[in-house]
Amino acid sequence: MFTKEQLNDIFNLAQTLRVYTAKDRPLGKIMASIFYEVSTRTSCSFAAAMQRLGGRVIYMDETSSSVKKGETLEDSIAVMAGYSDVLVLRHPTPGSVMKASQHCRKPLINAGDGIGEHPSQALLDIFTIREEIGTVNGLNITLVGDLKNGRTVHSLARLLTLYNVQLRYVSPPSLRMPSHVVDFVKEHGISQEEYSSLEEVLPDTDVLYMTRIQRERFETQEEYERACGHFIVTPKLMTRAKKKMAVMHPLPRVFEISTEFDSDPRAAYFRQAEYGMYVRMALLAMVLGKC
Amino acid sequence: MFTKEQLNDIFNLAQTLRVYTAKDRPLGKIMASIFYEVSTRTSCSFAAAMQRLGGRVIYMDETSSSVKKGETLEDSIAVMAGYSDVLVLRHPTPGSVMKASQHCRKPLINAGDGIGEHPSQALLDIFTIREEIGTVNGLNITLVGDLKNGRTVHSLARLLTLYNVQLRYVSPPSLRMPSHVVDFVKEHGISQEEYSSLEEVLPDTDVLYMTRIQRERFETQEEYERACGHFIVTPKLMTRAKKKMAVMHPLPRVFEISTEFDSDPRAAYFRQAEYGMYVRMALLAMVLGKC
Amino acid sequence: MFTKEQLNDIFNLAQTLRVYTAKDRPLGKIMASIFYEVSTRTSCSFAAAMQRLGGRVIYMDETSSSVKKGETLEDSIAVMAGYSDVLVLRHPTPGSVMKASQHCRKPLINAGDGIGEHPSQALLDIFTIREEIGTVNGLNITLVGDLKNGRTVHSLARLLTLYNVQLRYVSPPSLRMPSHVVDFVKEHGISQEEYSSLEEVLPDTDVLYMTRIQRERFETQEEYERACGHFIVTPKLMTRAKKKMAVMHPLPRVFEISTEFDSDPRAAYFRQAEYGMYVRMALLAMVLGKC
């Protein structure tokens, strides 16, 4: 056990450090990385971003003991906010991030909540277009694959309405872009068209945004192969495309893009992942002031 | 395979870096965070503390491959001590931290060992009182809930005997403060009284320390509700309390404190978690010299 | 949702940060720690090494969601390379690290791939000999235990052929050094001899390299005990050894070395683990330029 003198020493130093932390924080701010759903890539991207800014990271995930003891999300966030200067939260339940942010006394960044919004993905997609092509305006942007269930393409289509673009959707009939997105795009005066063939739209496409189609979306293996066999990027297919354009994919891919295409300068999907880190650096730097 | 020249280059550089690490260590000291029992909050608090001091963290937990291969705790600690400048250890077995520290050639901080001591929690509790009220001496401190099984209240009551305080215990009859704590407090000449009603002690309480009562402590749901229904902090109840006082809780809470009370200035429990980080900064800074 | 102006602010800042990251990187480089197989100790050693050099770490393991979604190792590595400046990879499949490195645009360090090579372990073993004895040349080096299945002793024997040493192998008859290693050592003109008794070789041994023998290698408990009972380092046995020599072990040990020997100055096995960190610092510093 401690003596009274030891306690006083500890408490006086703790108080000094409390003031020091609040005022100066010269040794790096802390980001709390809170993932109630595994997403190693998003987590790594944010952790790299924070650390490249000179900050530090603490980690909490869904195996947390407090969560098991029945603590609410709001309480967990309130505690983590006490340890950190900014919080990054991913949660499987739509709306939960918004709810958590209402009581949070530190900036909270949404890293995805279920089928809800995933804002940093849409930002990095548009940043990729800007960096790869030089501009977003005036482009033909073709979204391919499972447009029904893919939340990344929903967020992207919505955010692209802020630009002067032409959208094309290529998907199997059963996986078409849902009407809530189509209506939103229409209301914002952006032109959009649906296609069932990739070859048809490829020649004047500036950005080809591929997505993964999950096997479970189809009843039989045959239906799956019949639907997906048409949407595979290969070096041969890409001879029909522009010389200056970008092929993107939110990753992980399965077979939608042949690995033989990886060495093509138009293959932007791995750079796209890296651009995500710079966008997250920007988001963190903006909410933190400077680190 | 390597050439002899490559090996020499590597080994000469390794030796230089060894000397550099031992002498200067200008780039931050390393804390080994070793948790044989999940405790995300304590782990995050220590990691944030070390990093706010400019240090770095490495992590080992109970899923470690060496542990699975039958390595003893002492051996695991000896290896981690080779990588780090200070170790923080949590273990489910009482006495294990003390045992491990005997052979450890670096400072080792106890982050809890089963039903044994949990010293940094008691320190942060008293630091909270000091920061919230301005002093510890002369206060009426009321401990509420499961006083039988809660190790935090045992450690706190013991440590408070170093101050001039008056202790009150409020609990269901089956969850009273155990005699080993009551005897200890008595021997140190600190006044203590037991109550079965929160209302009775509330008006002159300076610190209300709430704890969680686990459902499993009671045979039936009725018994549980009858016992616990009396110990819930609400805005209405708190109209009877002093204007300047602090409500504390080691967290996580379940329903012992109504969330409606969270915005009350006397609700100190989330600040309490944050104070813990400053106390851990102080402990780390003291054992490390300065970081 | 964002406004167009907000997007422009974010993207302009992201671009500035991208240039800044590529050019200056004054705030520490990033190491991606990628473990498809649990190895807490190797992971901690690399993380401590990188952080002692002023760098930062991001973590990916086999529970990664992308791996579960069927992503190839090459794709996972390509994404992590976008976030980091150097990658450390451990994988259970022999050859996989080499395969992954072929497409990786950043330096990739092998932290072990199954029964394949484990280069940094052999390096640290030789660095330990150098630091403990002062030289490697001219030494009698005795390898003891399961020489058939232990990949560390295979790598070590091969790498020692670059030095002027004499090798001795002590093992149960069923766990002798395999012919591919014996042949390799012979081709390089290094003398080697097999023994079945530790006592016989001990008096003129300069380095005694102990390894763990797994119970599962033997059909019955009796056979196991008969074989292994002969290869245990105790203070009593070590009275027959030189005063200046080193006892090493890749750890974890089970009972091959009595804990009573730990306080002997010749017990080098815990320092050996620490030397590993300096070797990894050297490897990282070399591939990164300086951090």
Side-chain angles (χ1 to χ4, degrees):
Chain A
M1 199 152 136
F2 296 94
T3 67
K4 186 76 175 286
E5 208 164 54
Q6 287 173 320
L7 287 190
N8 280 337
D9 286 349
I10 294 170
F11 295 149
N12 287 333
L13 181 54
Q15 196 176 35
T16 303
L17 290 166
R18 183 189 171 196
V19 173
Y20 163 88
T21 299
K23 291 262 179 64
D24 301 285
R25 242 172 304 207
L27 290 164
K29 292 189 174 173
I30 305 273
M31 179 187 99
S33 173
I34 308 175
F35 279 66
Y36 283 80
E37 179 180 61
V38 176
S39 179
T40 313
R41 194 156 295 173
T42 306
S43 164
C44 278
S45 176
F46 270 110
M50 185 64 182
Q51 294 186 107
R52 285 196 185 281
L53 289 169
R56 314 296 176 92
V57 185
I58 57 174
Y59 300 93
M60 175 180 159
D61 66 25
E62 78 291 350
T63 64
S64 164
S65 48
S66 304
V67 174
K68 284 179 188 154
K69 286 176 188 158
E71 186 171 66
T72 64
L73 175 61
E74 286 87 343
D75 276 17
S76 295
I77 293 294
V79 171
M80 294 301 281
Y83 301 154
S84 60
D85 302 290
V86 59
L87 300 91
V88 171
L89 173 60
R90 180 162 187 133
H91 199 281
T93 311
S96 57
V97 175
M98 175 64 87
K99 213 177 87 186
S101 72
Q102 282 163 349
H103 296 282
C104 186
R105 62 194 192 279
K106 300 279 171 65
L108 188 150
I109 295 177
N110 184 353
D113 56 350
I115 57 165
E117 288 293 309
H118 187 18
S120 53
Q121 177 70 42
L123 288 176
L124 80 87
D125 288 339
I126 297 183
F127 184 63
T128 301
I129 296 171
R130 224 182 87 134
E131 293 293 294
E132 291 285 316
I133 313 283
T135 182
V136 181
N137 286 313
L139 301 187
N140 281 313
I141 298 173
T142 303
L143 311 179
V144 184
D146 181 353
L147 304 183
K148 184 180 173 195
N149 303 290
R151 68 179 173 176
T152 60
V153 287
H154 302 170
S155 297
L156 177 57
R158 286 167 177 272
L159 202 57
L160 280 170
T161 59
L162 291 174
Y163 295 86
N164 174 25
V165 295
Q166 289 178 289
L167 296 181
R168 285 93 169 270
Y169 310 137
V170 182
S171 69
S174 59
L175 298 176
R176 290 166 58 192
M177 187 67 90
S179 57
H180 68 89
V181 178
V182 171
D183 292 349
F184 184 95
V185 170
K186 194 176 177 184
E187 285 160 21
H188 287 74
I190 298 299
S191 87
Q192 54 188 337
E193 277 182 280
E194 292 193 321
Y195 295 84
S196 56
S197 148
L198 185 50
E199 283 84 348
E200 199 178 341
V201 294
L202 196 56
D204 64 347
T205 287
D206 297 297
V207 173
L208 185 65
Y209 196 98
M210 304 296 297
T211 64
R212 196 161 44 101
I213 303 182
Q214 291 179 289
R215 168 66 189 87
E216 309 85 76
R217 305 291 182 203
F218 294 88
E219 288 200 357
T220 69
Q221 182 70 19
E222 290 75 45
E223 283 182 62
Y224 173 60
E225 283 171 11
R226 201 176 329 123
C228 301
H230 297 113
F231 309 126
I232 301 181
V233 169
T234 61
K236 182 154 177 285
L237 176 75
M238 293 301 292
T239 58
R240 304 199 200 173
K242 288 187 176 183
K243 287 285 164 239
K244 184 182 176 186
M245 56 85 70
V247 178
M248 296 171 61
H249 193 298
L251 303 178
R253 69 171 158 187
V254 182
F255 59 80
E256 311 83 33
I257 303 176
S258 154
T259 57
E260 293 164 16
F261 184 68
D262 290 358
S263 56
D264 191 295
R266 298 170 292 183
Y269 28 95
F270 292 124
R271 290 191 294 278
Q272 181 182 358
E274 182 173 341
Y275 292 137
M277 181 178 66
Y278 303 119
V279 168
R280 283 156 186 150
M281 285 175 80
L283 291 174
L284 288 165
M286 288 170 111
V287 299
L288 284 171
K290 65 173 184 305
C291 280
Chain B
M1 200 152 133
F2 295 94
T3 67
K4 186 74 175 286
E5 208 164 53
Q6 287 174 320
L7 288 190
N8 281 336
D9 286 349
I10 293 169
F11 295 148
N12 287 333
L13 181 54
Q15 197 176 36
T16 304
L17 290 166
R18 183 189 172 196
V19 172
Y20 162 86
T21 300
K23 291 261 177 65
D24 300 287
R25 243 173 305 207
L27 290 165
K29 292 190 174 172
I30 305 274
M31 179 187 99
S33 172
I34 308 174
F35 279 66
Y36 284 80
E37 180 181 60
V38 177
S39 178
T40 312
R41 194 157 294 173
T42 306
S43 163
C44 278
S45 174
F46 271 111
M50 185 63 182
Q51 294 186 107
R52 286 196 184 279
L53 288 169
R56 314 296 175 93
V57 185
I58 58 175
Y59 300 92
M60 175 180 159
D61 65 26
E62 78 291 349
T63 65
S64 164
S65 48
S66 305
V67 175
K68 284 178 187 154
K69 286 175 186 158
E71 187 170 66
T72 63
L73 175 62
E74 285 88 344
D75 275 18
S76 294
I77 293 294
V79 171
M80 295 300 281
Y83 301 154
S84 60
D85 303 290
V86 59
L87 300 91
V88 170
L89 173 60
R90 180 163 187 132
H91 199 282
T93 311
S96 56
V97 175
M98 175 63 87
K99 212 176 88 185
S101 72
Q102 282 162 350
H103 297 281
C104 186
R105 62 196 192 279
K106 300 280 171 63
L108 190 152
I109 295 177
N110 184 353
D113 55 350
I115 57 165
E117 287 294 309
H118 187 18
S120 53
Q121 177 70 42
L123 287 176
L124 80 86
D125 287 339
I126 296 183
F127 184 62
T128 300
I129 296 171
R130 223 183 88 135
E131 294 293 295
E132 292 285 315
I133 312 283
T135 182
V136 181
N137 287 313
L139 300 187
N140 282 315
I141 298 174
T142 303
L143 311 179
V144 183
D146 181 353
L147 304 182
K148 182 181 175 195
N149 304 289
R151 67 177 173 178
T152 58
V153 285
H154 301 172
S155 297
L156 178 58
R158 285 167 178 271
L159 202 57
L160 280 170
T161 59
L162 291 173
Y163 295 87
N164 174 24
V165 294
Q166 287 177 290
L167 297 182
R168 284 91 170 272
Y169 310 138
V170 182
S171 69
S174 59
L175 299 175
R176 290 165 58 191
M177 186 67 90
S179 58
H180 67 89
V181 178
V182 170
D183 292 349
F184 184 95
V185 169
K186 193 175 178 184
E187 284 161 22
H188 286 75
I190 297 299
S191 88
Q192 52 188 339
E193 276 183 281
E194 293 193 320
Y195 294 85
S196 56
S197 147
L198 185 50
E199 282 83 349
E200 197 179 341
V201 294
L202 196 57
D204 64 348
T205 286
D206 298 296
V207 174
L208 185 66
Y209 196 98
M210 303 295 297
T211 65
R212 195 161 45 100
I213 303 182
Q214 291 178 290
R215 167 69 188 83
E216 308 85 79
R217 306 290 181 203
F218 293 87
E219 289 201 357
T220 69
Q221 182 70 20
E222 290 75 47
E223 283 182 60
Y224 174 61
E225 283 171 12
R226 203 177 327 124
C228 301
H230 297 114
F231 310 126
I232 301 181
V233 168
T234 60
K236 180 153 179 285
L237 177 74
M238 292 302 292
T239 58
R240 304 198 202 173
K242 287 188 177 182
K243 288 284 164 236
K244 184 182 177 185
M245 56 85 70
V247 178
M248 297 172 60
H249 193 297
L251 302 177
R253 70 170 158 187
V254 183
F255 59 79
E256 310 83 34
I257 303 175
S258 154
T259 57
E260 293 164 16
F261 185 67
D262 291 358
S263 55
D264 190 294
R266 296 170 292 182
Y269 28 94
F270 292 124
R271 290 191 295 277
Q272 182 183 358
E274 181 174 341
Y275 293 137
M277 181 177 67
Y278 304 119
V279 167
R280 282 154 187 152
M281 286 175 79
L283 291 174
L284 288 165
M286 288 172 112
V287 299
L288 285 171
K290 64 174 183 300
C291 280
Chain C
M1 199 153 134
F2 296 94
T3 68
K4 187 74 176 287
E5 207 164 55
Q6 287 173 319
L7 287 189
N8 281 336
D9 286 349
I10 293 170
F11 296 148
N12 288 333
L13 181 54
Q15 197 176 36
T16 303
L17 290 166
R18 183 189 171 196
V19 172
Y20 162 87
T21 300
K23 291 261 177 65
D24 301 287
R25 242 173 303 208
L27 290 165
K29 292 191 173 171
I30 305 273
M31 179 187 99
S33 172
I34 308 175
F35 280 65
Y36 284 81
E37 181 181 59
V38 176
S39 178
T40 313
R41 193 157 294 174
T42 306
S43 164
C44 278
S45 175
F46 270 110
M50 185 65 182
Q51 294 186 108
R52 286 196 185 280
L53 289 168
R56 313 296 175 94
V57 185
I58 57 175
Y59 301 92
M60 174 179 159
D61 65 26
E62 78 292 349
T63 64
S64 164
S65 48
S66 304
V67 174
K68 284 180 188 153
K69 286 174 187 160
E71 186 170 65
T72 63
L73 176 61
E74 286 87 344
D75 276 18
S76 293
I77 293 294
V79 171
M80 294 300 282
Y83 301 153
S84 60
D85 302 290
V86 59
L87 300 91
V88 170
L89 174 60
R90 179 160 188 136
H91 199 281
T93 311
S96 56
V97 175
M98 174 64 86
K99 213 177 87 186
S101 72
Q102 282 163 351
H103 296 282
C104 186
R105 62 195 192 281
K106 300 280 171 64
L108 189 151
I109 295 177
N110 185 352
D113 55 351
I115 57 164
E117 288 293 308
H118 188 19
S120 54
Q121 177 70 41
L123 287 177
L124 81 85
D125 288 339
I126 297 183
F127 184 64
T128 300
I129 297 172
R130 224 181 86 134
E131 294 293 295
E132 291 285 315
I133 313 281
T135 182
V136 180
N137 287 312
L139 301 188
N140 282 314
I141 297 174
T142 303
L143 311 179
V144 183
D146 181 353
L147 304 183
K148 184 182 174 196
N149 304 289
R151 68 179 173 177
T152 58
V153 285
H154 302 171
S155 297
L156 177 57
R158 286 167 178 272
L159 201 58
L160 280 171
T161 60
L162 291 173
Y163 296 87
N164 175 26
V165 295
Q166 288 178 290
L167 296 182
R168 286 93 170 271
Y169 309 138
V170 182
S171 70
S174 59
L175 298 176
R176 291 165 58 191
M177 187 67 90
S179 58
H180 68 88
V181 177
V182 170
D183 293 349
F184 183 95
V185 169
K186 194 175 179 185
E187 284 161 21
H188 286 75
I190 297 300
S191 87
Q192 54 188 335
E193 276 184 280
E194 292 193 321
Y195 293 83
S196 57
S197 148
L198 184 50
E199 282 84 349
E200 199 177 341
V201 294
L202 195 57
D204 63 349
T205 287
D206 298 296
V207 173
L208 185 65
Y209 196 98
M210 302 297 296
T211 66
R212 196 162 44 102
I213 303 181
Q214 293 178 288
R215 168 68 189 86
E216 308 86 79
R217 306 291 182 203
F218 294 88
E219 289 200 358
T220 68
Q221 182 71 19
E222 290 75 45
E223 285 183 59
Y224 174 61
E225 283 171 12
R226 202 176 327 123
C228 300
H230 298 112
F231 310 127
I232 300 180
V233 169
T234 60
K236 181 153 178 285
L237 176 75
M238 293 301 292
T239 58
R240 304 199 201 175
K242 288 186 177 184
K243 288 283 162 238
K244 185 181 175 184
M245 56 85 71
V247 178
M248 296 171 61
H249 193 298
L251 302 179
R253 70 171 158 187
V254 183
F255 59 80
E256 310 83 34
I257 303 175
S258 154
T259 56
E260 293 165 16
F261 185 68
D262 291 358
S263 55
D264 191 295
R266 296 169 294 181
Y269 29 93
F270 292 124
R271 291 191 294 276
Q272 181 182 358
E274 182 173 342
Y275 293 138
M277 181 178 67
Y278 304 119
V279 167
R280 282 156 187 151
M281 285 175 81
L283 291 174
L284 288 165
M286 288 171 113
V287 299
L288 285 171
K290 65 174 183 302
C291 279

